[in-house]
Amino acid sequence: MKAKEYLNQVKMLEDYMDRLSNEYFKMKELAMNPGGFDYSKERVQSSAVADTMSRTVGRYVDLETEMNECRKTFEDFRNKAVHQMCQLRNTKYTEILYQKYINYKSLKDIAEEMEYSYDWVRHAHGWALQEFQRTWGDYLKSDTFIAH
């Protein structure tokens, strides 16, 4: 795996967590507000409403578990990536990679903040990825992709 692919996984995981969170809150709303019951109908032992409600609550609980697992995976992966960036010899490379892959800033914004030209930051980003690849190449060869 290339350094860029590896580091882009931070954003991919965060996006996945956002999607899970949206689904979780939809299910929570459905589980907490099941709607009204029609008391004029004859009572039966089981009903489609009760079955739907139990599936909704079950999905809500499953999503909560999945969100907690995903959050832990995200935090662990993000912390590992930051630690790996900090091991680079050139602190400017560390800063560029951190701003790009952890804070999700554009190279243009990074250039403005660091007070360098966009072209220099663009090239330095490539050099930083190369150094990251050299430093962590053996680790990147292992199964480091997080599929979500």
Side-chain angles (χ1 to χ4, degrees):
M1 174 178 293
K2 298 287 184 192
K4 188 174 187 175
E5 293 171 296
Y6 174 75
L7 295 172
N8 274 325
Q9 290 181 103
V10 174
K11 179 73 169 132
M12 289 171 47
L13 272 172
E14 189 164 27
D15 290 346
Y16 181 68
M17 273 189 352
D18 288 344
R19 288 189 300 275
L20 273 179
S21 180
N22 288 338
E23 184 68 18
Y24 169 79
F25 286 113
K26 285 179 190 174
M27 287 294 132
K28 183 177 181 179
E29 182 69 26
L30 287 172
M32 299 298 188
N33 299 309
F37 289 100
D38 186 355
Y39 292 104
S40 66
K41 291 187 176 181
E42 184 178 330
R43 290 184 65 172
V44 291
Q45 198 63 13
S46 83
S47 69
V49 172
D51 291 343
T52 301
M53 176 56 77
S54 66
R55 282 194 304 274
T56 301
V57 170
R59 179 69 179 135
Y60 164 70
V61 171
D62 290 346
L63 279 169
E64 184 174 37
T65 302
E66 190 174 354
M67 269 181 38
N68 290 335
E69 290 171 2
C70 186
R71 183 175 293 113
K72 181 168 180 8
T73 300
F74 169 74
E75 289 170 358
D76 291 347
F77 186 80
R78 184 181 182 278
N79 290 339
K80 176 73 174 175
V82 169
H83 173 75
Q84 290 169 319
M85 288 176 199
C86 290
Q87 301 303 308
L88 301 181
R89 291 186 190 133
N90 188 323
T91 58
K92 288 183 184 7
Y93 292 174
T94 299
E95 183 64 19
I96 290 168
L97 293 180
Y98 185 86
Q99 293 300 330
K100 175 79 175 152
Y101 297 102
I102 303 301
N103 290 338
Y104 317 125
K105 293 185 178 177
S106 70
L107 294 179
K108 181 181 176 190
D109 290 341
I110 296 168
E112 288 175 11
E113 285 181 16
M114 293 181 74
E115 298 180 353
Y116 286 102
S117 72
Y118 169 76
D119 283 337
W120 185 87
V121 169
R122 188 171 52 84
H123 285 93
H125 172 252
W127 300 325
L129 288 173
Q130 288 173 355
E131 184 176 330
F132 192 96
Q133 188 74 39
R134 278 192 304 274
T135 304
W136 296 102
D138 289 340
Y139 178 79
L140 298 177
K141 288 178 187 174
S142 67
D143 187 20
T144 55
F145 185 77
I146 300 172
H148 278 294

